Amino acid sequence: MSPPPPPPSPPSAAIVYLQCGRRIVASKKRGRLDGLVNSVKKVQRREICSKRHRAFSITDAQERFRHIRLQEEYDTHNPKGHCSMVLPFLRKRSKIIEIVAAQDIVFALAQSGVCAAFSRETNQRVCFLNVTADEVIRSLFYNKNNDSLITVSVYASDNFSSLKCRSTRIEYIRRGQPDAGFALFESESLKWPGFVEFDDVNGKVLTYSAQDSIYKVFDLKNYTMLYTVSDRNVQEIKISPGIMLLIFTKVGGHVPLKILSIEDGTVLKSFCHLLHRNKRVDFIEQFNEKLLVKQENENLQILDVRNSEITEVSKNEFMTPSAFIFLYENQLFLTFRNRTVAVWNFRGELVTSFEDHLLCHPDCNTNNIYITSDQDLIISYCKADSADPLSEGNGSINISNILTGKCVAKIRASSEKQCGCAVECGCSCKQQSSISRTRSTVAEALEDITALFYDEERGEIYTGNVHGLVHVWSN
C-alpha cells in the first residue's frame, strides 16, 4: 500500500485558531489523508500558580535557561517497523510533527504515523504506540485528569477514512504495554468533515458526526456524554472558558450566533451580528464576553456581547493573522503573521512587539511554539541571526517574555563554541562532550526543527527534526 500523503499546509486565506483545545479533522477523501490534519495547536491552560513580579519572572527565566545544553538524542525510526506485517510507509524515516511529555515519558509522533515513547529515566525507547500493523496515528493528547495519553488514529482497513480514539494510562505505556488501553467514542462516526476536539480548559471533548450533523459534548474525566447540539444550520463551534459559541449559516447581511454554557448546553444568549453582505468573513472568535469579527479588507470589530458596544481597529493596523493564541490569564491574545508575533489587548491596542522572535517557518507551524502555563514566556523555533556566521543554515530556539517582548534566552549553534551550555551564559565551564550521548552536534540539532515541546516540571526542551530524531535540551 502506498503511503498516505502528508497533510497540506493551510491555504493563505485560512486561519489556524489557537484557543483552548485541539481539534483533529477526518479525511475528506477515502484512501487519502489530505484532510486529516491536526488543524489547530491550541494553547492549553493548566493549573496557574500565583502571578510573580514581572522583573523577578524575567530574571527567573534567564536563570532557568542559562546552562541548558544538548543532552540526549532519541530516534523514532525503526527500519523493521513497530511490528510484523507493518505497512511499508511506516518503516520509512519521516519528520517529527508532534511532541508530548507526561511525567518521565516523551512521546514523539512522526508524519508517517508512527509514535514512539521514550523514557527520560533510562533514555531508551519504551515502545511504539501503534497497536496494529495498519494503524496510522495522527495526533496525541495528554489527559492530566486521569494520567493517560489519547491517540487519534486512522486505519488502512477502512481506507484511512475514520478517526478512532484510544486512551492508554501512562503507567501501562511505561511498562511497554500500549495495547492495554481502551477505545473511546466508538458510537461516533468521525468521517470527514467530522472531527474530535479536546478542550483542556473546560475539561470537555467535542465531537462532530457529519453523517447526522450532531455535535456531542463529553466529560474529559470519564468520557460520559453530557449533551448534544443538533442543528444543520450550525457552521462552526468555538470553545472559550465556560462557554461555546455557535456560528450559524449567514443570512443576508448578518450571521446568527448563540452562546451556550459549556457545562450543560443551556443557551445563555442569542443574537445576530451585522456583516458586509459581499465580503468574506476572515474569522469570528469568542473570548469570554468579547467577540472578534474580521471581514475581508475591513476593520477588526471587537464586540462586547454584554452591552453590544463595538470597538473597531483599523485594517491597516490589524491585518488578518494566520493564527491566534488567546492568553486567558492575561486577558490578551497573540497574533502570528508573516513570521512575526504580536500581543494585543481587547481594546484593540498593540501591547507587545517582539525584538528578537522571527519565526523560522512562514506558515506559522504551531508545533514549533510553546506557551508556558504562567503565560509569561513563548518558546519558538526562530530564524538565527544572519550576522552570526556559525548559525548559517541553522535556526535558534528563542525564549521571549510575552509582556515585554524581550528575548531572555536563546539556544543557538554559536554557543557551542564557547562552553558546554547551548545559550549565551557567560559561564566558565568547559565543554564536556562525554556528558551528552548524542550523535548530533548542537548545530545539527538546530537544523530543520519541525516540533518543539517544553516540559515545565523537568525544565527540559524537546525538539524533533526532519530526520525523525528527538533532542533533549536540559540543564
Side-chain angles (χ1 to χ4, degrees):
M1 180 173 291
S2 60
S9 298
S12 58
I15 305 296
V16 181
Y17 298 106
L18 299 93
Q19 299 170 305
C20 55
R22 178 173 300 150
R23 179 177 297 184
I24 304 95
V25 183
S27 177
K28 183 176 182 179
K29 298 179 181 179
R30 295 178 67 82
R32 291 177 62 84
L33 299 185
D34 295 45
L36 192 144
V37 54
N38 183 352
S39 63
V40 284
K41 181 84 170 181
K42 301 176 181 178
V43 66
Q44 300 166 359
R45 186 176 69 172
R46 305 160 184 84
E47 292 80 1
I48 304 296
C49 65
S50 58
K51 291 288 180 285
R52 295 170 290 183
H53 189 272
R54 182 180 300 182
F56 175 78
S57 177
I58 294 174
T59 304
D60 177 55
Q62 291 171 334
E63 287 300 317
R64 201 185 321 171
F65 298 101
R66 180 176 294 275
H67 299 297
I68 202 164
R69 67 176 70 197
L70 179 61
Q71 296 279 19
E72 298 291 341
E73 179 178 275
Y74 305 142
D75 194 349
T76 60
H77 179 238
N78 183 356
K80 297 180 181 179
H82 58 273
C83 62
S84 61
M85 303 300 290
V86 70
L87 296 175
F89 65 84
L90 292 175
R91 295 193 183 100
K92 295 183 178 180
R93 184 177 290 279
S94 66
K95 70 179 182 180
I96 305 299
I97 61 171
E98 191 172 351
I99 297 175
V100 173
Q103 299 179 26
D104 59 337
I105 305 295
V106 179
F107 301 94
L109 175 61
Q111 190 175 55
S112 64
V114 169
C115 181
F118 301 92
S119 169
R120 283 296 292 124
E121 299 301 320
T122 65
N123 290 312
Q124 300 295 315
R125 185 169 60 215
V126 177
C127 62
F128 288 99
L129 274 293
N130 306 67
V131 173
T132 63
D134 69 334
E135 180 181 9
V136 176
I137 298 176
R138 274 308 174 209
S139 191
L140 310 172
F141 179 82
Y142 173 58
N143 187 354
K144 65 178 183 292
N145 295 285
N146 50 31
D147 194 30
S148 64
L149 185 80
I150 297 176
T151 52
V152 183
S153 306
V154 292
Y155 295 83
S157 56
D158 73 345
N159 291 326
F160 309 107
S161 63
S162 302
L163 299 175
K164 305 292 184 183
C165 303
R166 186 174 70 249
S167 174
T168 310
R169 290 187 64 84
I170 299 299
E171 63 182 271
Y172 295 146
I173 296 172
R174 189 181 289 110
R175 296 176 197 162
Q177 300 174 320
D179 56 351
F182 57 91
L184 300 174
F185 320 123
E186 292 183 281
S187 63
E188 304 310 298
S189 176
L190 301 178
K191 295 185 178 183
W192 187 89
F195 63 80
V196 57
E197 180 170 342
F198 300 98
D199 171 21
D200 200 29
V201 174
N202 299 295
K204 303 292 185 290
V205 182
L206 175 68
T207 65
Y208 174 60
S209 172
Q211 182 176 311
D212 46 17
S213 298
I214 293 180
Y215 297 87
K216 294 184 181 180
V217 177
F218 297 81
D219 192 319
L220 191 54
K221 295 178 181 177
N222 52 27
Y223 308 114
T224 57
M225 195 192 76
L226 301 176
Y227 58 91
T228 64
V229 176
S230 180
D231 192 322
R232 293 185 180 274
N233 291 319
V234 174
Q235 293 295 296
E236 176 66 294
I237 289 183
K238 302 294 177 69
I239 298 176
S240 187
I243 59 174
M244 290 197 308
L245 174 69
L246 272 57
I247 305 173
F248 291 84
T249 304
K250 183 179 175 182
V251 179
H254 69 272
V255 56
L257 303 164
K258 282 186 180 179
I259 298 177
L260 275 58
S261 165
I262 192 70
E263 296 301 326
D264 56 14
T266 301
V267 177
L268 303 177
K269 187 178 181 68
S270 297
F271 60 104
C272 292
H273 186 74
L274 291 177
L275 297 173
H276 295 276
R277 187 180 295 269
N278 298 319
K279 295 290 185 75
R280 183 187 71 233
V281 176
D282 286 344
F283 62 80
I284 299 177
E285 284 296 316
Q286 178 80 27
F287 178 90
N288 294 340
E289 71 279 2
K290 303 294 186 180
L291 186 74
L292 278 63
V293 181
K294 179 76 169 65
Q295 288 188 260
E296 181 183 16
N297 297 323
E298 294 295 332
N299 294 340
L300 169 68
Q301 293 184 327
I302 303 176
L303 170 70
D304 191 319
V305 298
R306 298 169 300 180
N307 54 26
S308 299
E309 289 184 359
I310 294 179
T311 300
E312 289 208 4
V313 185
S314 169
K315 61 185 178 183
N316 297 321
E317 297 177 22
F318 187 96
M319 289 171 281
T320 301
S322 58
F324 285 101
I325 293 181
F326 288 136
L327 305 177
Y328 297 103
E329 297 305 313
N330 296 325
Q331 298 292 302
L332 301 169
F333 63 96
L334 290 100
T335 58
F336 299 81
R337 179 181 170 85
N338 298 333
R339 289 196 171 112
T340 62
V341 188
V343 183
W344 301 78
N345 62 29
F346 287 91
R347 295 186 297 275
E349 299 165 340
L350 180 65
V351 176
T352 307
S353 293
F354 291 86
E355 64 178 15
D356 186 8
H357 211 94
L358 188 65
L359 301 178
C360 213
H361 298 289
D363 61 347
C364 183
N365 186 340
T366 52
N367 288 335
N368 290 323
I369 297 170
Y370 186 94
I371 306 293
T372 57
S373 57
D374 279 340
Q375 299 181 359
D376 58 343
L377 296 177
I378 178 171
I379 305 172
S380 309
Y381 182 49
C382 296
K383 288 182 68 67
D385 186 355
S386 58
D388 187 347
L390 294 174
S391 294
E392 186 175 356
N394 308 109
S396 62
I397 300 171
N398 292 19
I399 300 99
S400 297
N401 185 283
I402 289 175
L403 297 179
T404 67
K406 300 289 184 182
C407 183
V408 298
K410 181 188 294 188
I411 300 174
R412 57 182 181 177
S414 60
S415 312
E416 185 182 25
K417 184 178 179 181
Q418 299 171 5
C419 67
C421 305
V423 294
E424 292 285 352
C425 63
C427 72
S428 58
C429 72
K430 296 181 179 179
Q431 186 171 359
Q432 301 174 17
S433 57
S434 60
I435 295 178
S436 174
R437 286 169 287 210
T438 65
R439 290 171 291 179
S440 303
T441 64
V442 170
E444 291 169 339
L446 289 171
E447 288 181 0
D448 299 317
I449 289 177
T450 54
L452 180 152
F453 185 91
Y454 176 52
D455 188 327
E456 299 187 49
E457 292 185 4
R458 300 180 68 94
E460 298 179 334
I461 296 174
Y462 310 125
T463 58
N465 65 16
V466 293
H467 305 296
L469 300 176
V470 176
H471 293 104
V472 178
W473 308 83
S474 179
N475 289 318

